[in-house]
Amino acid sequence: MTREIFAGPDAPSIRADVFLADQLEGLSRNAIQRAIETGEITFADGGKIRKNYLVSPGDRFLCNMAPPAELKATPQDIPLDIAYEDDALIVVNKPRGMVVHPAPGHPDQTLVNALLHHCAGNLAGIGGVIRPGIVHRLDKDTSGLLLVAKSDPAHQRLTDQLRDRKVVRIYEAVVIGRVGQDTGTIDLPIGRHPTDRKRMSTAAKVARDAVTHYTVLTRYNGYTHIRCELETGRTHQIRAHLTAIGHPVLGDLTYGRGKPEKGISGQCLHARTLIFDHPITGERLPLTTDLPDYFTDVLSRLGLAEIIAD
């Protein structure tokens, strides 16, 4: 592909590889760095981009790279834990470790592959061939309820509810440290991390409003079990917000301590409750799932440690 990227007057003063990774969808920062080194990405006049170059307003970059391999989603017979289903939609209890849709590095064995098989292809087309029917997403290592539309009208109405903040999404998490306040609200804008494209940050120069409400359920020795309700739905919102207040999610290697704890791999974060209006009937649907085994196992171990400590 050949594409010219222009840094407008409000362009942040960040490294060129970080800036370009945000502009070129589907390309990782490492891929951008390699393309700069090989000369596939240059200044528009052909000049080489030096390492650690900081973008200035008015900069023009030329990307001349081979297009990435096309991703396709094909039906695969993968078991699904279905919380609700009718002709308009399906709500799935996604297990931890499952990717929602195909992406570089995860071409198959995703939730979309399973849904295409289960629904015999009857999914809304608005999300495209890679994300058919997907109304919102959960991170790979976040478990819980995920909403999928089977028709374009249902998809549009559910998306409208999300935009208008009419969908209630409640998560439970175990976080590191003792959360002092019984309830609280984290109101901090979130944007792409200035140096790490895989992370979001409350210190980003370009950010969108993000609000998370939390309630403490149980305090343990060095950990807290909390409930979080999303008012907005930014990428990694709960994980970034809890990290910002000094209480990263237990097991989150990206935002936490960078090493496994309490015998779990992947964050202890579960999307437990989903409440929305049915896109066809208008009926208010409250759905709640049990906490998964990995989550209750962690709580049991924390509770036992608390008893021993006492």
Side-chain angles (χ1 to χ4, degrees), residues 24-301:
L24 297 168
E25 185 178 357
L27 293 177
S28 68
R29 187 177 168 194
N30 285 338
I32 297 293
Q33 290 172 342
R34 288 193 297 269
I36 290 174
E37 291 173 1
T38 60
E40 293 174 283
I41 298 180
T42 64
F43 287 109
D45 62 6
K48 184 173 178 61
I49 303 169
R50 69 177 184 275
K51 188 176 181 180
N52 298 331
Y53 174 78
L54 298 181
V55 173
S56 296
D59 281 344
R60 292 182 181 273
F61 303 95
L62 185 65
C63 174
N64 188 10
M65 300 175 63
E70 182 181 359
L71 289 170
K72 295 181 180 180
T74 56
Q76 291 180 300
D77 188 2
I78 303 170
L80 289 172
D81 181 1
I82 299 171
Y84 177 89
E85 183 177 15
D86 61 22
D87 291 341
L89 60 93
I90 180 171
V91 178
V92 176
N93 186 17
K94 186 187 84 67
R96 187 182 58 172
M98 174 178 270
V99 176
V100 171
H101 59 77
H106 299 282
D108 55 17
Q109 296 297 312
T110 72
L111 181 65
V112 163
N113 296 111
L115 287 166
L116 286 171
H117 179 272
H118 175 80
C119 299
N122 294 322
L123 294 171
I126 291 178
V129 296
I130 300 303
R131 304 179 183 89
I134 300 299
V135 177
H136 64 109
R137 289 181 286 178
L138 295 176
D139 298 334
K140 174 186 174 183
D141 285 328
T142 299
S143 56
L145 297 177
L146 188 138
L147 182 56
V148 181
K150 290 185 176 181
S151 69
D152 287 353
H155 192 287
Q156 187 61 61
R157 291 165 190 166
L158 291 169
T159 301
D160 289 345
Q161 288 186 54
L162 278 172
R163 180 199 62 208
D164 297 337
R165 304 183 182 182
K166 294 180 179 179
V167 178
V168 176
R169 287 173 288 172
I170 298 175
Y171 293 64
E172 290 191 23
V174 175
V175 301
I176 297 171
R178 185 181 188 278
V179 178
Q181 292 182 308
D182 290 342
T183 61
T185 295
I186 309 170
D187 187 351
L188 295 171
I190 290 176
R192 189 69 60 181
H193 193 281
T195 60
D196 187 349
R197 179 171 167 76
K198 294 181 179 180
R199 299 178 62 190
M200 306 301 286
S201 172
T202 57
K205 293 183 178 180
V206 180
R208 301 173 67 188
D209 67 301
V211 180
T212 304
H213 307 284
Y214 68 84
T215 301
V216 170
L217 299 176
T218 309
R219 293 183 178 92
Y220 298 96
N221 184 22
Y223 302 90
T224 307
H225 178 197
I226 65 173
R227 178 186 297 121
C228 293
E229 181 173 343
L230 293 176
E231 185 172 317
T232 55
R234 309 305 177 206
T235 301
H236 298 179
Q237 177 171 317
I238 290 176
R239 298 165 64 194
H241 266 173
L242 292 174
T243 297
I245 64 170
H247 297 288
V249 175
L250 174 62
D252 189 342
L253 301 185
T254 300
Y255 291 90
R257 292 174 175 171
K259 60 181 181 180
E261 295 187 52
K262 297 298 175 184
I264 71 170
S265 58
Q267 59 264 14
C268 200
L269 179 62
H270 180 71
R272 189 168 190 184
T273 299
L274 192 62
I275 306 172
F276 59 95
D277 295 335
H278 192 282
I280 306 302
T281 67
E283 177 189 0
R284 194 70 169 163
L285 291 177
L287 301 174
T288 298
T289 181
D290 292 335
L291 289 173
D293 290 344
Y294 80 85
F295 203 114
T296 55
D297 287 346
V298 169
L299 293 179
S300 295
R301 273 178 274 164

